[in-house]
Amino acid sequence: MGNVTVIGAQWGDEGKGKIVDWLASRAEMVVRFQGGHNAGHTLVVGDQTYKLSLLPSGIVTGTPSVIGNGVVLDPWALQSEVERIRGQGVEVTPDVLRIAETCPLILPFHRDLDALREDASGAGKIGTTRRGIGPAYEDKVGRRAIRVCDLAHLDELEPLLDRLCAHHDALRAGFGEPPVDRERLRNDLAEIADFVLQFARPVWRDLDAAIRRGRRILFEGAQGVLLDVDHGTYPFVTSSNTVSGTTGSGSGTGPGAAGFVLGIVQADTTRVGSGPFPTELQDETGRRLGERGREFGTVTGRQRRCGWFDAVLVRQSVAVSGITGVALTKLDVLDGFETVKICTGYRIGDSEFDYLPPHAFDQNRVEPIYEEVEGWPGSTRGARSWADLPARAIKYVRRIEELIRCPVALVSTSPERDDTILVRDPFAG
């Protein structure tokens, strides 16, 4: 049995939460390796619904859960989420939750800067969640971040604050804001330190031990490949690498630890916020897809934009992230359509492309080239075997496999954990 890495293969919101929860019930450790509390996973277990942002999905089942060093951690958001999930009867102890000592912290002035920049950007808004994710990553690579381990050495914080505030005070002045309140920041950090430090540890050692013992590890990505800072629709992306290659650097394991890479793909396409979206439907069909899929962001509550399945973009995600197999979700959203369209290429003027050009100007000009396939009259909702699916729905799945050049390993037919068709067991490699 091997490890599994789960990543979104579109713009996020593909239904990762249900798939990760399904896999987490069979894993022996679950690891978050990038992103922050801008991610949102919804888990439905029986009559309980859990909404997670920072906490790995294994926390619900009591599986040892790791927040790796590639995550940017808002300690106050973490405390709020832990308290909320404890209120739902989930135990969150240091035996279950483990946080890398080297995680950078998201601080209040990161949130301030995120919002100030977005408000000042006018037509250049990128649709940030305003949670301080980007500014925190900037401080990390700028070597001025306050990290989890610094909470145990608050008396030694002054040199770091000098470097940090020299940067942020200048930025804040440019927006007409006062300097960082250093005394308040020190007090806030002192108040939250003990809560965070109870979970802090050298998690790379835990992971190394688990790998040596042959434990099944589930690496849980946030957002989607198309939001990767290098491979996504830049600049309308997140501030971290979301591809499977980040598994090792974001957790403290070698590149071979990723194991089976499972890309989550929904049967249509959705996107939250700004940025190009070649197959977007701003008509009754788009509204119908949104209503059926209940397309609202878990974290932001923003309504998602909806469109037909884009095989070109998913094929790119498969290639740049080394996806072994995909989990196809929300197939039931397409139930009842007489015909269904799949984007197989793009056209700009007289030129055709089998990939999305990298420049935003070209991305906004592309016209999708569609292939039309027969829809199906029956329902796929709740199906748990191929025999439960309409023949045309199976034909649709098979055509997607051909176009994205990757096999389907799982088919999810509702938010319920057990409404899943298993084609290939990711943990079996």
Side-chain angles (χ1 to χ4, degrees):
M1 303 293 280
N3 300 335
V4 177
T5 295
V6 176
I7 56 172
Q10 293 158 304
W11 279 296
D13 305 311
E14 304 95 344
K16 288 190 295 296
K18 177 257 181 81
I19 301 298
V20 168
D21 172 56
W22 188 83
L23 290 167
S25 64
R26 304 169 61 220
E28 294 167 283
M29 188 172 284
V30 181
V31 184
R32 273 284 307 277
F33 58 89
Q34 53 78 217
H37 64 307
N38 54 342
H41 293 166
T42 300
L43 312 182
V44 180
V45 183
D47 59 355
Q48 278 274 30
T49 298
Y50 304 95
K51 294 185 182 293
L52 307 179
S53 293
L54 266 174
L55 296 175
S57 298
I59 208 81
V60 172
T61 56
T63 306
S65 298
V66 172
I67 296 177
N69 57 275
V71 175
V72 284
L73 183 83
D74 183 322
W76 299 278
L78 174 71
Q79 185 179 47
S80 176
E81 189 171 334
V82 167
E83 290 174 351
R84 175 166 48 80
I85 204 164
R86 279 175 173 167
Q88 291 183 272
V90 176
E91 283 195 46
V92 183
T93 68
D95 290 331
V96 176
L97 178 62
R98 307 168 188 188
I99 300 174
E101 297 169 311
T102 50
C103 269
L105 299 182
I106 298 175
L107 303 172
F109 53 80
H110 290 135
R111 296 192 296 270
D112 294 343
L113 181 59
D114 209 356
L116 288 167
R117 283 174 170 169
E118 189 76 348
D119 289 340
S121 293
K125 283 184 171 64
I126 60 173
T128 173
T129 57
R130 299 169 181 256
R131 282 164 168 73
I133 310 296
Y137 272 117
E138 290 175 33
D139 281 348
K140 174 184 177 178
V141 298
R143 295 168 293 181
R144 53 180 173 265
I146 294 177
R147 303 184 298 171
V148 167
C149 57
D150 292 312
L151 295 176
H153 298 274
L154 292 179
D155 290 341
E156 309 298 326
L157 207 58
E158 285 308 306
L160 183 51
L161 283 178
D162 287 342
R163 189 161 66 250
L164 192 60
C165 292
H167 176 78
H168 279 274
D169 286 349
L171 291 175
R172 291 172 66 87
F175 286 105
E177 295 293 318
V180 171
D181 187 336
R182 292 169 64 144
E183 183 177 357
R184 180 176 178 181
L185 177 61
R186 280 192 295 266
N187 291 338
D188 288 345
L189 291 174
E191 288 179 4
I192 199 72
D194 287 344
F195 174 80
V196 177
L197 289 172
Q198 66 179 310
F199 304 111
R201 55 195 292 165
V203 300
W204 62 269
R205 296 179 67 214
D206 296 341
L207 291 169
D208 181 59
I211 290 169
R212 291 179 183 278
R213 293 172 187 151
R215 303 291 192 232
R216 292 189 301 273
I217 302 174
L218 177 63
F219 293 95
E220 175 185 0
Q223 291 93 33
V225 173
L226 299 176
L227 292 174
D228 184 278
V229 70
D230 286 313
H231 300 287
T233 48
Y234 191 91
F236 303 99
V237 293
T238 192
S239 298
S240 61
N241 286 111
T242 62
V243 294
S244 62
T246 316
T247 300
S249 62
S251 63
T253 59
F260 188 105
V261 181
L262 183 67
I264 314 301
V265 177
Q266 66 184 76
D268 58 342
T269 306
T270 64
R271 177 165 201 172
V272 171
S274 307
F277 186 169
T279 65
E280 182 175 11
L281 298 171
Q282 295 177 317
D283 58 11
E284 182 57 36
T285 300
R287 286 190 290 274
R288 181 179 177 185
L289 291 172
E291 289 169 2
R292 287 190 168 197
R294 299 175 183 175
E295 298 294 356
F296 294 89
T298 301
V299 170
T300 64
R302 292 181 293 183
Q303 186 168 1
R304 300 176 187 135
R305 301 150 65 190
C306 301
W308 294 119
F309 184 82
D310 193 327
V312 183
L313 289 177
V314 175
R315 187 168 61 240
Q316 283 185 224
S317 294
V318 168
V320 302
S321 209
I323 293 174
T324 315
V326 301
L328 189 66
T329 67
K330 301 187 179 183
L331 186 61
D332 57 298
V333 169
L334 300 177
D335 289 351
F337 280 95
E338 288 187 16
T339 58
V340 176
K341 293 182 179 180
I342 304 174
C343 176
T344 58
Y346 304 125
R347 184 180 292 110
I348 300 178
D350 296 329
S351 300
E352 292 189 3
F353 295 81
D354 63 356
Y355 66 97
L356 186 64
H359 199 281
F361 178 74
D362 292 328
Q363 291 174 353
N364 287 323
R365 294 168 60 217
V366 299
E367 296 178 10
I369 299 172
Y370 284 119
E371 176 182 305
E372 200 166 279
V373 300
E374 289 183 300
W376 50 91
S379 173
T380 62
R381 188 172 181 81
R384 298 185 180 182
S385 71
W386 285 119
D388 295 333
L389 292 178
R392 290 179 186 171
I394 296 175
K395 188 176 180 181
Y396 178 77
V397 175
R398 294 306 186 199
R399 183 55 179 151
I400 284 177
E401 287 182 312
E402 293 173 355
L403 291 169
I404 67 174
R405 301 171 188 162
C406 187
V408 169
L410 299 165
V411 180
S412 170
T413 57
S414 92
E416 296 294 332
R417 177 190 286 177
D418 294 331
D419 289 344
T420 304
I421 300 171
L422 178 63
V423 183
R424 177 182 176 186
D425 185 352
F427 275 121

